């Protein structure tokens, strides 16, 4: 497992390293004092499995660094480490695994690794999509959104791919899981892929904008807020 620790304070790096070693003495994290150095290392293979990132560093914004890290290495689990809870809401925008307030405890690190493990189990689940005499097997987390077009369902996947299947929504929805939100009769979105929730639409990480009816926005926002809360609370 490749682990990154990014903090401009060597003393606080050591505290975090001690907590990580307490979780697993065999782990050998790579340490960085700037986001620039972290991003350069993240571009190398294999990608980091998890990155513990300080939000407050001289001349750098940890949330912006996290956004760049997501672009370079989308599979890396991000854990914010900071002295304040002021940026907890910002953690939602990069789908952070956890948000730890200093001084970091062994329990906090253990929970971060537990969430990484759970995310991998859930996100890499496969589902089978039927299309006439053919069938497709896709990772559930590859689905960005689903659009109903006539009798067909267009399954939009990461990387701009699309699969067209002939399935009823009643057949499809049970396969998707709790991370998916029905916006209306035509669209279902993977909430993991939402970059920003607007008044009457959501903007996805790939730039796609999906509109929903004004009368449905309260229920949709409440469902999305529950999803965000569950992500950070570990429920």
């Amino acid at each position: 497992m490749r682990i990154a620790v990014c903090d401009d304070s060597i003393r606080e790096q050591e505290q975090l390293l001690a907590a990580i070693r307490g979780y697993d003495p065999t782990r050998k994290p790579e340490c960085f004092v700037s986001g620039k150095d972290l991003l350069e290392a993240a571009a190398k293979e294999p990608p980091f499995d998890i990155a513990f990132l300080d939000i407050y560093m001289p001349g750098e914004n940890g949330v912006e660094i996290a956004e760049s890290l997501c672009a370079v290495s989308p599979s890396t689990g991000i854990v914010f480490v900071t002295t304040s809870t002021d940026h907890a809401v910002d953690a939602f925008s990069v789908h952070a695994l956890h948000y730890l307030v200093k001084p970091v405890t062994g329990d906090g690190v253990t929970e971060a690794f537990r969430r990484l493990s759970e995310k991998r189990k859930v996100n890499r689940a496969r589902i089978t999509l039927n299309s006439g005499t053919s069938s497709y097997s896709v990772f559930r987390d590859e689905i960005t959104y689903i659009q109903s077009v006539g009798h067909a369902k267009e399954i939009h996947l990461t990387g701009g791919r699309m699969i067209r299947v002939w399935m009823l929504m009643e057949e499809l929805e049970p396969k998707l899981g709790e991370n998916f939100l029905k916006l209306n009769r035509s669209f279902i979105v993977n909430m993991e892929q939402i970059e920003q929730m607007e008044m009457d639409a959501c903007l996805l990480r790939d730039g796609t904008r999906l509109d929903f009816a004004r009368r449905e926005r309260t229920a949709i926002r409440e469902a999305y807020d529950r999803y965000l809360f569950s992500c950070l609370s570990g429920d």
Side-chain angles (χ1 to χ4, degrees):
M1 176 178 284
R2 195 174 179 213
I3 302 170
V5 170
C6 186
D7 194 314
D8 64 292
S9 168
I10 301 301
R11 181 179 62 83
E12 292 181 345
Q13 270 191 23
E14 287 297 331
Q15 291 177 345
L16 181 52
L17 289 174
I20 294 172
R21 293 189 190 105
Y23 167 75
D24 186 342
T26 67
R27 301 301 181 194
K28 296 180 180 179
E30 298 172 46
C31 296
F32 308 92
V33 294
S34 73
K36 178 177 178 294
D37 291 341
L38 169 64
L39 294 174
E40 288 178 357
K44 301 175 183 178
E45 293 291 339
F48 286 113
D49 294 276
I50 189 169
F52 293 85
L53 177 61
D54 185 17
I55 287 183
Y56 299 103
M57 292 186 288
E60 295 183 305
N61 182 314
V63 176
E64 292 178 357
I65 294 167
E67 290 172 349
S68 297
L69 180 57
C70 286
V72 173
S73 180
S75 65
T76 300
I78 296 172
V79 179
F80 284 121
V81 183
T82 182
T83 56
S84 167
T85 59
D86 291 347
H87 289 276
V89 174
D90 294 329
F92 293 144
S93 67
V94 292
H95 305 280
L97 284 175
H98 207 359
Y99 191 95
L100 303 178
V101 178
K102 298 177 181 179
V104 175
T105 65
D107 288 344
V109 167
T110 298
E111 175 64 12
F113 281 104
R114 186 195 69 79
R115 293 187 186 192
L116 178 65
S117 177
E118 287 300 312
K119 181 178 179 180
R120 286 177 168 176
K121 289 178 184 177
V122 172
N123 285 354
R124 299 313 290 176
R126 282 185 179 273
I127 64 172
T128 300
L129 304 172
N130 300 316
S131 180
T133 57
S134 302
S135 63
Y136 302 90
S137 179
V138 301
F139 287 115
R140 192 159 50 193
D141 66 313
E142 287 185 311
I143 300 172
T144 56
Y145 69 97
I146 298 168
Q147 181 177 5
S148 182
V149 181
H151 295 294
K153 304 297 178 289
E154 294 183 349
I155 315 296
H156 293 264
L157 306 173
T158 55
R161 297 168 296 151
M162 189 270 285
I163 296 173
R164 184 176 287 107
V165 300
W166 278 261
M167 297 177 67
L168 297 175
M169 278 295 191
E170 291 78 5
E171 295 178 88
L172 195 53
E173 288 184 60
K175 294 175 177 285
L176 298 176
E178 59 187 15
N179 281 6
F180 287 79
L181 174 63
K182 191 171 186 176
L183 300 178
N184 49 47
R185 288 183 294 179
S186 297
F187 289 100
I188 296 176
V189 66
N190 181 355
M191 289 186 282
E192 174 71 19
Q193 295 294 329
I194 295 176
E195 180 73 28
Q196 181 179 351
M197 185 66 81
E198 300 177 350
M199 187 68 70
D200 301 316
C202 57
L203 185 66
L204 306 190
R205 295 164 72 176
D206 65 2
T208 300
R209 178 188 170 92
L210 300 179
D211 296 318
F212 46 84
R214 180 181 294 270
R215 65 180 178 276
E216 298 173 22
R217 69 185 185 191
T218 299
I220 289 171
R221 285 304 302 261
E222 288 177 351
Y224 185 60
D225 287 346
R226 288 195 299 272
Y227 163 76
L228 293 180
F229 179 79
S230 69
C231 286
L232 284 192
S233 67
D235 294 341

PDB file of all heavy atoms in Angstrom, residues 172-202:
ATOM      1  N   LEU A 172     -33.695  -1.942 -13.047  1.00  0.00           N
ATOM      2  CA  LEU A 172     -32.377  -1.328 -12.937  1.00  0.00           C
ATOM      3  C   LEU A 172     -32.090  -0.784 -11.539  1.00  0.00           C
ATOM      4  O   LEU A 172     -30.999  -0.988 -10.985  1.00  0.00           O
ATOM      5  CB  LEU A 172     -32.280  -0.212 -13.972  1.00  0.00           C
ATOM      6  CG  LEU A 172     -30.917   0.364 -14.307  1.00  0.00           C
ATOM      7  CD1 LEU A 172     -29.925  -0.723 -14.683  1.00  0.00           C
ATOM      8  CD2 LEU A 172     -31.050   1.385 -15.440  1.00  0.00           C
ATOM      9  N   GLU A 173     -33.048  -0.089 -10.964  1.00  0.00           N
ATOM     10  CA  GLU A 173     -32.809   0.616  -9.704  1.00  0.00           C
ATOM     11  C   GLU A 173     -32.306  -0.284  -8.574  1.00  0.00           C
ATOM     12  O   GLU A 173     -31.385   0.105  -7.838  1.00  0.00           O
ATOM     13  CB  GLU A 173     -34.070   1.370  -9.273  1.00  0.00           C
ATOM     14  CG  GLU A 173     -34.355   2.591 -10.134  1.00  0.00           C
ATOM     15  CD  GLU A 173     -35.554   3.383  -9.636  1.00  0.00           C
ATOM     16  OE1 GLU A 173     -35.509   3.861  -8.483  1.00  0.00           O
ATOM     17  OE2 GLU A 173     -36.537   3.509 -10.383  1.00  0.00           O
ATOM     18  N   PRO A 174     -32.854  -1.496  -8.368  1.00  0.00           N
ATOM     19  CA  PRO A 174     -32.356  -2.337  -7.266  1.00  0.00           C
ATOM     20  C   PRO A 174     -30.897  -2.748  -7.416  1.00  0.00           C
ATOM     21  O   PRO A 174     -30.249  -3.108  -6.425  1.00  0.00           O
ATOM     22  CB  PRO A 174     -33.281  -3.567  -7.331  1.00  0.00           C
ATOM     23  CG  PRO A 174     -34.511  -3.094  -8.023  1.00  0.00           C
ATOM     24  CD  PRO A 174     -34.023  -2.104  -9.029  1.00  0.00           C
ATOM     25  N   LYS A 175     -30.357  -2.687  -8.625  1.00  0.00           N
ATOM     26  CA  LYS A 175     -28.971  -3.076  -8.858  1.00  0.00           C
ATOM     27  C   LYS A 175     -27.985  -1.973  -8.456  1.00  0.00           C
ATOM     28  O   LYS A 175     -26.796  -2.232  -8.277  1.00  0.00           O
ATOM     29  CB  LYS A 175     -28.743  -3.391 -10.348  1.00  0.00           C
ATOM     30  CG  LYS A 175     -29.491  -4.608 -10.886  1.00  0.00           C
ATOM     31  CD  LYS A 175     -29.276  -4.734 -12.384  1.00  0.00           C
ATOM     32  CE  LYS A 175     -29.942  -5.976 -12.956  1.00  0.00           C
ATOM     33  NZ  LYS A 175     -29.168  -7.194 -12.609  1.00  0.00           N
ATOM     34  N   LEU A 176     -28.490  -0.745  -8.325  1.00  0.00           N
ATOM     35  CA  LEU A 176     -27.591   0.406  -8.221  1.00  0.00           C
ATOM     36  C   LEU A 176     -27.050   0.659  -6.826  1.00  0.00           C
ATOM     37  O   LEU A 176     -25.902   1.052  -6.656  1.00  0.00           O
ATOM     38  CB  LEU A 176     -28.309   1.658  -8.744  1.00  0.00           C
ATOM     39  CG  LEU A 176     -28.718   1.595 -10.220  1.00  0.00           C
ATOM     40  CD1 LEU A 176     -29.505   2.846 -10.594  1.00  0.00           C
ATOM     41  CD2 LEU A 176     -27.501   1.428 -11.120  1.00  0.00           C
ATOM     42  N   GLY A 177     -27.866   0.514  -5.799  1.00  0.00           N
ATOM     43  CA  GLY A 177     -27.379   0.777  -4.451  1.00  0.00           C
ATOM     44  C   GLY A 177     -27.711   2.177  -3.983  1.00  0.00           C
ATOM     45  O   GLY A 177     -28.237   3.019  -4.716  1.00  0.00           O
ATOM     46  N   GLU A 178     -27.362   2.468  -2.727  1.00  0.00           N
ATOM     47  CA  GLU A 178     -27.797   3.694  -2.062  1.00  0.00           C
ATOM     48  C   GLU A 178     -27.048   4.949  -2.506  1.00  0.00           C
ATOM     49  O   GLU A 178     -27.451   6.057  -2.153  1.00  0.00           O
ATOM     50  CB  GLU A 178     -27.658   3.529  -0.546  1.00  0.00           C
ATOM     51  CG  GLU A 178     -26.247   3.227  -0.086  1.00  0.00           C
ATOM     52  CD  GLU A 178     -26.197   2.913   1.388  1.00  0.00           C
ATOM     53  OE1 GLU A 178     -27.239   2.650   1.995  1.00  0.00           O
ATOM     54  OE2 GLU A 178     -25.083   2.948   1.939  1.00  0.00           O
ATOM     55  N   ASN A 179     -25.976   4.809  -3.279  1.00  0.00           N
ATOM     56  CA  ASN A 179     -25.252   5.988  -3.744  1.00  0.00           C
ATOM     57  C   ASN A 179     -25.926   6.657  -4.936  1.00  0.00           C
ATOM     58  O   ASN A 179     -25.472   7.713  -5.394  1.00  0.00           O
ATOM     59  CB  ASN A 179     -23.815   5.629  -4.142  1.00  0.00           C
ATOM     60  CG  ASN A 179     -22.912   5.484  -2.933  1.00  0.00           C
ATOM     61  OD1 ASN A 179     -23.371   5.543  -1.803  1.00  0.00           O
ATOM     62  ND2 ASN A 179     -21.636   5.287  -3.175  1.00  0.00           N
ATOM     63  N   PHE A 180     -26.988   6.057  -5.452  1.00  0.00           N
ATOM     64  CA  PHE A 180     -27.653   6.599  -6.631  1.00  0.00           C
ATOM     65  C   PHE A 180     -28.945   7.311  -6.238  1.00  0.00           C
ATOM     66  O   PHE A 180     -29.685   6.853  -5.372  1.00  0.00           O
ATOM     67  CB  PHE A 180     -27.933   5.484  -7.642  1.00  0.00           C
ATOM     68  CG  PHE A 180     -26.693   5.012  -8.345  1.00  0.00           C
ATOM     69  CD1 PHE A 180     -25.820   4.141  -7.716  1.00  0.00           C
ATOM     70  CD2 PHE A 180     -26.379   5.455  -9.620  1.00  0.00           C
ATOM     71  CE1 PHE A 180     -24.655   3.708  -8.344  1.00  0.00           C
ATOM     72  CE2 PHE A 180     -25.225   5.030 -10.261  1.00  0.00           C
ATOM     73  CZ  PHE A 180     -24.363   4.163  -9.622  1.00  0.00           C
ATOM     74  N   LEU A 181     -29.187   8.442  -6.901  1.00  0.00           N
ATOM     75  CA  LEU A 181     -30.322   9.303  -6.577  1.00  0.00           C
ATOM     76  C   LEU A 181     -31.161   9.537  -7.827  1.00  0.00           C
ATOM     77  O   LEU A 181     -30.640   9.936  -8.877  1.00  0.00           O
ATOM     78  CB  LEU A 181     -29.812  10.643  -6.037  1.00  0.00           C
ATOM     79  CG  LEU A 181     -30.853  11.727  -5.767  1.00  0.00           C
ATOM     80  CD1 LEU A 181     -31.823  11.276  -4.669  1.00  0.00           C
ATOM     81  CD2 LEU A 181     -30.168  13.032  -5.363  1.00  0.00           C
ATOM     82  N   LYS A 182     -32.454   9.299  -7.720  1.00  0.00           N
ATOM     83  CA  LYS A 182     -33.372   9.534  -8.840  1.00  0.00           C
ATOM     84  C   LYS A 182     -33.751  11.007  -8.869  1.00  0.00           C
ATOM     85  O   LYS A 182     -34.331  11.528  -7.908  1.00  0.00           O
ATOM     86  CB  LYS A 182     -34.607   8.653  -8.697  1.00  0.00           C
ATOM     87  CG  LYS A 182     -35.486   8.625  -9.944  1.00  0.00           C
ATOM     88  CD  LYS A 182     -36.565   7.553  -9.807  1.00  0.00           C
ATOM     89  CE  LYS A 182     -37.366   7.406 -11.085  1.00  0.00           C
ATOM     90  NZ  LYS A 182     -38.361   6.307 -10.988  1.00  0.00           N
ATOM     91  N   LEU A 183     -33.393  11.695  -9.958  1.00  0.00           N
ATOM     92  CA  LEU A 183     -33.683  13.119 -10.082  1.00  0.00           C
ATOM     93  C   LEU A 183     -35.096  13.365 -10.607  1.00  0.00           C
ATOM     94  O   LEU A 183     -35.744  14.342 -10.251  1.00  0.00           O
ATOM     95  CB  LEU A 183     -32.669  13.792 -11.007  1.00  0.00           C
ATOM     96  CG  LEU A 183     -31.203  13.705 -10.576  1.00  0.00           C
ATOM     97  CD1 LEU A 183     -30.306  14.368 -11.608  1.00  0.00           C
ATOM     98  CD2 LEU A 183     -30.996  14.332  -9.205  1.00  0.00           C
ATOM     99  N   ASN A 184     -35.544  12.490 -11.492  1.00  0.00           N
ATOM    100  CA  ASN A 184     -36.897  12.542 -12.060  1.00  0.00           C
ATOM    101  C   ASN A 184     -37.125  11.231 -12.818  1.00  0.00           C
ATOM    102  O   ASN A 184     -36.336  10.292 -12.671  1.00  0.00           O
ATOM    103  CB  ASN A 184     -37.079  13.767 -12.980  1.00  0.00           C
ATOM    104  CG  ASN A 184     -35.949  13.901 -13.985  1.00  0.00           C
ATOM    105  OD1 ASN A 184     -35.568  12.926 -14.630  1.00  0.00           O
ATOM    106  ND2 ASN A 184     -35.392  15.104 -14.110  1.00  0.00           N
ATOM    107  N   ARG A 185     -38.149  11.174 -13.641  1.00  0.00           N
ATOM    108  CA  ARG A 185     -38.436   9.932 -14.353  1.00  0.00           C
ATOM    109  C   ARG A 185     -37.391   9.589 -15.404  1.00  0.00           C
ATOM    110  O   ARG A 185     -37.294   8.447 -15.840  1.00  0.00           O
ATOM    111  CB  ARG A 185     -39.810  10.004 -15.007  1.00  0.00           C
ATOM    112  CG  ARG A 185     -40.967   9.920 -14.024  1.00  0.00           C
ATOM    113  CD  ARG A 185     -42.294   9.925 -14.718  1.00  0.00           C
ATOM    114  NE  ARG A 185     -42.535  11.213 -15.398  1.00  0.00           N
ATOM    115  CZ  ARG A 185     -43.628  11.489 -16.103  1.00  0.00           C
ATOM    116  NH1 ARG A 185     -44.581  10.572 -16.242  1.00  0.00           N
ATOM    117  NH2 ARG A 185     -43.782  12.666 -16.656  1.00  0.00           N
ATOM    118  N   SER A 186     -36.590  10.586 -15.795  1.00  0.00           N
ATOM    119  CA  SER A 186     -35.626  10.376 -16.879  1.00  0.00           C
ATOM    120  C   SER A 186     -34.191  10.171 -16.416  1.00  0.00           C
ATOM    121  O   SER A 186     -33.390   9.587 -17.142  1.00  0.00           O
ATOM    122  CB  SER A 186     -35.661  11.573 -17.850  1.00  0.00           C
ATOM    123  OG  SER A 186     -36.932  11.691 -18.463  1.00  0.00           O
ATOM    124  N   PHE A 187     -33.831  10.656 -15.225  1.00  0.00           N
ATOM    125  CA  PHE A 187     -32.434  10.630 -14.814  1.00  0.00           C
ATOM    126  C   PHE A 187     -32.229  10.022 -13.421  1.00  0.00           C
ATOM    127  O   PHE A 187     -32.983  10.305 -12.485  1.00  0.00           O
ATOM    128  CB  PHE A 187     -31.847  12.047 -14.797  1.00  0.00           C
ATOM    129  CG  PHE A 187     -31.646  12.643 -16.158  1.00  0.00           C
ATOM    130  CD1 PHE A 187     -32.564  13.549 -16.670  1.00  0.00           C
ATOM    131  CD2 PHE A 187     -30.548  12.301 -16.937  1.00  0.00           C
ATOM    132  CE1 PHE A 187     -32.391  14.106 -17.921  1.00  0.00           C
ATOM    133  CE2 PHE A 187     -30.357  12.850 -18.188  1.00  0.00           C
ATOM    134  CZ  PHE A 187     -31.288  13.753 -18.691  1.00  0.00           C
ATOM    135  N   ILE A 188     -31.188   9.204 -13.329  1.00  0.00           N
ATOM    136  CA  ILE A 188     -30.656   8.730 -12.055  1.00  0.00           C
ATOM    137  C   ILE A 188     -29.178   9.076 -12.036  1.00  0.00           C
ATOM    138  O   ILE A 188     -28.471   8.830 -13.018  1.00  0.00           O
ATOM    139  CB  ILE A 188     -30.836   7.208 -11.896  1.00  0.00           C
ATOM    140  CG1 ILE A 188     -32.321   6.832 -11.858  1.00  0.00           C
ATOM    141  CG2 ILE A 188     -30.151   6.708 -10.632  1.00  0.00           C
ATOM    142  CD1 ILE A 188     -32.568   5.349 -11.797  1.00  0.00           C
ATOM    143  N   VAL A 189     -28.684   9.648 -10.946  1.00  0.00           N
ATOM    144  CA  VAL A 189     -27.294  10.088 -10.880  1.00  0.00           C
ATOM    145  C   VAL A 189     -26.547   9.353  -9.776  1.00  0.00           C
ATOM    146  O   VAL A 189     -27.116   9.014  -8.733  1.00  0.00           O
ATOM    147  CB  VAL A 189     -27.217  11.619 -10.659  1.00  0.00           C
ATOM    148  CG1 VAL A 189     -27.775  11.994  -9.290  1.00  0.00           C
ATOM    149  CG2 VAL A 189     -25.784  12.131 -10.802  1.00  0.00           C
ATOM    150  N   ASN A 190     -25.269   9.086 -10.017  1.00  0.00           N
ATOM    151  CA  ASN A 190     -24.378   8.548  -9.000  1.00  0.00           C
ATOM    152  C   ASN A 190     -23.896   9.727  -8.154  1.00  0.00           C
ATOM    153  O   ASN A 190     -23.145  10.578  -8.638  1.00  0.00           O
ATOM    154  CB  ASN A 190     -23.200   7.838  -9.671  1.00  0.00           C
ATOM    155  CG  ASN A 190     -22.244   7.229  -8.673  1.00  0.00           C
ATOM    156  OD1 ASN A 190     -22.385   7.395  -7.463  1.00  0.00           O
ATOM    157  ND2 ASN A 190     -21.245   6.521  -9.169  1.00  0.00           N
ATOM    158  N   MET A 191     -24.311   9.802  -6.895  1.00  0.00           N
ATOM    159  CA  MET A 191     -23.974  10.952  -6.059  1.00  0.00           C
ATOM    160  C   MET A 191     -22.474  11.089  -5.829  1.00  0.00           C
ATOM    161  O   MET A 191     -21.979  12.183  -5.541  1.00  0.00           O
ATOM    162  CB  MET A 191     -24.722  10.875  -4.734  1.00  0.00           C
ATOM    163  CG  MET A 191     -26.215  11.125  -4.883  1.00  0.00           C
ATOM    164  SD  MET A 191     -27.105  11.219  -3.306  1.00  0.00           S
ATOM    165  CE  MET A 191     -27.237   9.471  -2.901  1.00  0.00           C
ATOM    166  N   GLU A 192     -21.730   9.992  -5.975  1.00  0.00           N
ATOM    167  CA  GLU A 192     -20.275  10.046  -5.873  1.00  0.00           C
ATOM    168  C   GLU A 192     -19.682  10.935  -6.966  1.00  0.00           C
ATOM    169  O   GLU A 192     -18.598  11.496  -6.803  1.00  0.00           O
ATOM    170  CB  GLU A 192     -19.708   8.628  -5.981  1.00  0.00           C
ATOM    171  CG  GLU A 192     -18.198   8.523  -6.027  1.00  0.00           C
ATOM    172  CD  GLU A 192     -17.528   8.858  -4.701  1.00  0.00           C
ATOM    173  OE1 GLU A 192     -18.215   8.817  -3.662  1.00  0.00           O
ATOM    174  OE2 GLU A 192     -16.323   9.148  -4.711  1.00  0.00           O
ATOM    175  N   GLN A 193     -20.405  11.097  -8.069  1.00  0.00           N
ATOM    176  CA  GLN A 193     -19.909  11.855  -9.218  1.00  0.00           C
ATOM    177  C   GLN A 193     -20.352  13.316  -9.208  1.00  0.00           C
ATOM    178  O   GLN A 193     -19.979  14.077 -10.099  1.00  0.00           O
ATOM    179  CB  GLN A 193     -20.383  11.191 -10.516  1.00  0.00           C
ATOM    180  CG  GLN A 193     -19.826   9.803 -10.756  1.00  0.00           C
ATOM    181  CD  GLN A 193     -18.330   9.811 -10.991  1.00  0.00           C
ATOM    182  OE1 GLN A 193     -17.780  10.774 -11.522  1.00  0.00           O
ATOM    183  NE2 GLN A 193     -17.659   8.742 -10.596  1.00  0.00           N
ATOM    184  N   ILE A 194     -21.149  13.715  -8.217  1.00  0.00           N
ATOM    185  CA  ILE A 194     -21.624  15.101  -8.170  1.00  0.00           C
ATOM    186  C   ILE A 194     -20.518  16.026  -7.663  1.00  0.00           C
ATOM    187  O   ILE A 194     -19.961  15.819  -6.598  1.00  0.00           O
ATOM    188  CB  ILE A 194     -22.877  15.232  -7.283  1.00  0.00           C
ATOM    189  CG1 ILE A 194     -24.052  14.460  -7.900  1.00  0.00           C
ATOM    190  CG2 ILE A 194     -23.256  16.703  -7.098  1.00  0.00           C
ATOM    191  CD1 ILE A 194     -25.309  14.462  -7.052  1.00  0.00           C
ATOM    192  N   GLU A 195     -20.227  17.034  -8.455  1.00  0.00           N
ATOM    193  CA  GLU A 195     -19.234  18.044  -8.080  1.00  0.00           C
ATOM    194  C   GLU A 195     -19.889  19.189  -7.315  1.00  0.00           C
ATOM    195  O   GLU A 195     -19.342  19.713  -6.352  1.00  0.00           O
ATOM    196  CB  GLU A 195     -18.549  18.596  -9.333  1.00  0.00           C
ATOM    197  CG  GLU A 195     -17.486  19.659  -9.083  1.00  0.00           C
ATOM    198  CD  GLU A 195     -16.212  19.078  -8.493  1.00  0.00           C
ATOM    199  OE1 GLU A 195     -15.915  17.892  -8.737  1.00  0.00           O
ATOM    200  OE2 GLU A 195     -15.523  19.818  -7.775  1.00  0.00           O
ATOM    201  N   GLN A 196     -21.076  19.578  -7.770  1.00  0.00           N
ATOM    202  CA  GLN A 196     -21.758  20.724  -7.149  1.00  0.00           C
ATOM    203  C   GLN A 196     -23.265  20.560  -7.292  1.00  0.00           C
ATOM    204  O   GLN A 196     -23.760  20.205  -8.363  1.00  0.00           O
ATOM    205  CB  GLN A 196     -21.311  22.031  -7.818  1.00  0.00           C
ATOM    206  CG  GLN A 196     -21.939  23.279  -7.232  1.00  0.00           C
ATOM    207  CD  GLN A 196     -21.444  24.538  -7.922  1.00  0.00           C
ATOM    208  OE1 GLN A 196     -20.522  24.497  -8.721  1.00  0.00           O
ATOM    209  NE2 GLN A 196     -22.055  25.659  -7.619  1.00  0.00           N
ATOM    210  N   MET A 197     -23.989  20.831  -6.213  1.00  0.00           N
ATOM    211  CA  MET A 197     -25.443  20.797  -6.243  1.00  0.00           C
ATOM    212  C   MET A 197     -25.944  22.227  -6.325  1.00  0.00           C
ATOM    213  O   MET A 197     -25.666  23.046  -5.441  1.00  0.00           O
ATOM    214  CB  MET A 197     -25.992  20.098  -5.002  1.00  0.00           C
ATOM    215  CG  MET A 197     -27.496  19.918  -5.016  1.00  0.00           C
ATOM    216  SD  MET A 197     -28.103  18.796  -6.300  1.00  0.00           S
ATOM    217  CE  MET A 197     -27.795  17.195  -5.527  1.00  0.00           C
ATOM    218  N   GLU A 198     -26.658  22.536  -7.403  1.00  0.00           N
ATOM    219  CA  GLU A 198     -27.194  23.873  -7.596  1.00  0.00           C
ATOM    220  C   GLU A 198     -28.673  23.892  -7.215  1.00  0.00           C
ATOM    221  O   GLU A 198     -29.220  22.894  -6.753  1.00  0.00           O
ATOM    222  CB  GLU A 198     -26.983  24.308  -9.055  1.00  0.00           C
ATOM    223  CG  GLU A 198     -25.517  24.346  -9.449  1.00  0.00           C
ATOM    224  CD  GLU A 198     -25.303  24.696 -10.908  1.00  0.00           C
ATOM    225  OE1 GLU A 198     -26.292  24.722 -11.663  1.00  0.00           O
ATOM    226  OE2 GLU A 198     -24.138  24.945 -11.292  1.00  0.00           O
ATOM    227  N   MET A 199     -29.327  25.050  -7.443  1.00  0.00           N
ATOM    228  CA  MET A 199     -30.713  25.199  -7.031  1.00  0.00           C
ATOM    229  C   MET A 199     -31.637  24.188  -7.715  1.00  0.00           C
ATOM    230  O   MET A 199     -32.433  23.513  -7.065  1.00  0.00           O
ATOM    231  CB  MET A 199     -31.199  26.621  -7.346  1.00  0.00           C
ATOM    232  CG  MET A 199     -32.580  26.935  -6.804  1.00  0.00           C
ATOM    233  SD  MET A 199     -32.620  27.019  -4.995  1.00  0.00           S
ATOM    234  CE  MET A 199     -31.704  28.532  -4.715  1.00  0.00           C
ATOM    235  N   ASP A 200     -31.511  24.068  -9.034  1.00  0.00           N
ATOM    236  CA  ASP A 200     -32.396  23.186  -9.798  1.00  0.00           C
ATOM    237  C   ASP A 200     -31.620  22.222 -10.682  1.00  0.00           C
ATOM    238  O   ASP A 200     -32.147  21.732 -11.690  1.00  0.00           O
ATOM    239  CB  ASP A 200     -33.352  24.010 -10.674  1.00  0.00           C
ATOM    240  CG  ASP A 200     -34.209  24.953  -9.849  1.00  0.00           C
ATOM    241  OD1 ASP A 200     -34.713  24.517  -8.800  1.00  0.00           O
ATOM    242  OD2 ASP A 200     -34.350  26.124 -10.245  1.00  0.00           O
ATOM    243  N   ALA A 201     -30.371  21.962 -10.345  1.00  0.00           N
ATOM    244  CA  ALA A 201     -29.545  21.073 -11.168  1.00  0.00           C
ATOM    245  C   ALA A 201     -28.344  20.609 -10.360  1.00  0.00           C
ATOM    246  O   ALA A 201     -28.026  21.173  -9.310  1.00  0.00           O
ATOM    247  CB  ALA A 201     -29.075  21.793 -12.431  1.00  0.00           C
ATOM    248  N   CYS A 202     -27.684  19.559 -10.859  1.00  0.00           N
ATOM    249  CA  CYS A 202     -26.417  19.151 -10.259  1.00  0.00           C
ATOM    250  C   CYS A 202     -25.360  19.096 -11.361  1.00  0.00           C
ATOM    251  O   CYS A 202     -25.646  18.727 -12.504  1.00  0.00           O
ATOM    252  CB  CYS A 202     -26.531  17.801  -9.544  1.00  0.00           C
ATOM    253  SG  CYS A 202     -27.095  16.430 -10.555  1.00  0.00           S
TER     254      CYS A 202
END
